[in-house]
């Protein structure tokens, strides 16, 4: 199976976590696109979805799935999203699609984060994938210096403005051995909107697609 087929596989597997009448939290990315398509094809009559991006909202609505504003719900049973990296404790790097801030907001509403990913995303230590950080543009130079002090090299993602009007720094050269401490530290740097380490909002379940099919990891 190629990577696209693995994404479709885990997108379909995530349907096991969706029940009729539910409002489901929906992430962003090519794997989530597969989940949205699978949900539409499944005939499971969800009450609606809370979406983490304009991209996912458009796809959900194209399928006739109602999209609710985050403010219309008090909580969600499940949030389904992809990841750029996930470790063996369910900590993740996210934001390759620049949707990390809204993804963390919707994840915060949910009891269970179900991560859907192909097996290439499973890592021992987070940091090989360039860490996305949504920032206020004015802070870019100072934040670049702060990351350099941690051994990281930050680059502004050219031409990208997030759904919130923010910019993205991609940081290479980091080895994130303590994701909880790293997230807490970077989050309080002035000008950081959201750091793409999902430690406090880690996955409880990961559906990992590989040559042998879908492996379920629980954290
Ligand atoms: C978007 C994300 C995505 O979940 C992540 O980039 C994985 O994307 P894909 O499923 O396309 O590999 O965090 O901001």
């Amino acid at each position: 199976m190629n990577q696209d087929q693995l994404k479709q596989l885990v997108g379909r597997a995530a349907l096991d976590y969706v029940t009729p009448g539910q409002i489901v939290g929906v992430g962003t990315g090519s794997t989530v696109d597969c989940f949205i398509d699978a949900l539409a094809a499944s005939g499971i009559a969800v009450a609606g979805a809370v979406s983490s991006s304009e991209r996912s909202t458009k796809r959900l609505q194209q399928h006739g799935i109602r999209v609710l504003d985050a403010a219309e719900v008090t909580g969600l049973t499940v949030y389904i999203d992809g990841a750029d990296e996930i470790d063996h404790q369910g900590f993740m790097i996210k934001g390759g699609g620049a949707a990390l801030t809204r993804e963390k907001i919707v994840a915060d509403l949910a009891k269970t984060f179900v991560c859907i990913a192909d097996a290439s995303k499973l890592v021992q230590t987070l940091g090989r994938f360039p860490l996305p950080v949504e920032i206020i543009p004015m802070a870019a130079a100072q934040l670049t210096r702060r990351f350099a002090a941690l051994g990281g090299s930050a680059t502004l993602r050219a031409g990208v403005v997030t759904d919130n009007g923010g910019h993205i720094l991609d940081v290479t050269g980091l080895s994130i051995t303590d994701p909880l401490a790293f997230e807490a530290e970077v989050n309080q740097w002035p000008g950081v909107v959201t750091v793409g380490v999902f430690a406090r909002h880690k996955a409880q379940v990961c559906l990992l697609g590989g040559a042998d099919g879908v492996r379920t990891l629980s954290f």
Side-chain angles (χ1 to χ4, degrees):
M1 264 188 282
N2 64 32
Q3 204 179 20
D4 285 343
Q5 290 168 322
L6 293 176
K7 288 178 183 189
Q8 286 164 15
L9 190 68
V10 293
R12 282 196 302 273
L15 295 176
D16 287 348
Y17 293 83
V18 181
T19 52
Q22 189 181 49
I23 297 169
V24 60
V26 175
T28 299
S30 56
T31 317
V32 167
D33 284 349
C34 294
F35 164 69
I36 294 171
D37 295 349
L39 179 62
S42 72
I44 300 172
V46 292
V50 175
S51 166
S52 61
S53 63
E54 300 300 334
R55 168 182 170 161
S56 289
T57 295
K58 192 170 161 207
R59 200 172 189 100
L60 287 159
Q61 288 175 336
Q62 278 169 347
H63 281 303
I65 298 170
R66 180 175 164 231
V67 176
L68 291 91
D69 194 90
E72 292 180 79
V73 302
T74 51
L76 297 167
T77 305
V78 72
Y79 174 64
I80 293 168
D81 199 357
D84 299 303
E85 285 185 350
I86 182 162
D87 72 10
H88 291 269
Q89 291 174 279
F91 298 133
M92 295 168 286
I93 284 183
K94 291 185 45 55
L100 64 164
T101 296
R102 294 190 187 191
E103 289 172 342
K104 222 176 250 193
I105 291 169
V106 185
D108 189 54
L109 287 165
K111 271 204 202 98
T112 302
F113 189 135
V114 176
C115 175
I116 49 176
D118 68 82
S120 70
K121 307 284 183 75
L122 186 66
V123 298
Q124 289 298 330
T125 306
L126 300 178
R128 195 180 54 205
F129 188 90
L131 174 70
V133 184
E134 181 163 356
I135 63 156
I136 303 293
M138 177 187 175
Q142 170 67 353
L143 291 171
T144 297
R145 284 189 288 271
R146 281 190 175 273
F147 280 115
L150 298 184
S153 175
T155 309
L156 199 62
R157 200 180 295 180
V160 171
V161 178
T162 70
D163 287 348
N164 318 302
H167 287 192
I168 299 285
L169 285 180
D170 290 305
V171 188
T172 57
L174 298 170
S175 177
I176 303 167
T177 51
D178 186 345
L180 279 164
F182 183 93
E183 182 183 37
E185 167 65 18
V186 175
N187 261 338
Q188 48 88 36
W189 292 351
V192 169
V193 178
T194 304
V195 57
V197 169
F198 281 53
R200 293 188 67 167
H201 295 87
K202 70 173 199 159
Q204 280 73 47
V205 174
C206 178
L207 304 176
L208 203 65
D212 301 335
V214 179
R215 195 150 62 101
T216 303
L217 311 179
S218 300
F219 309 103

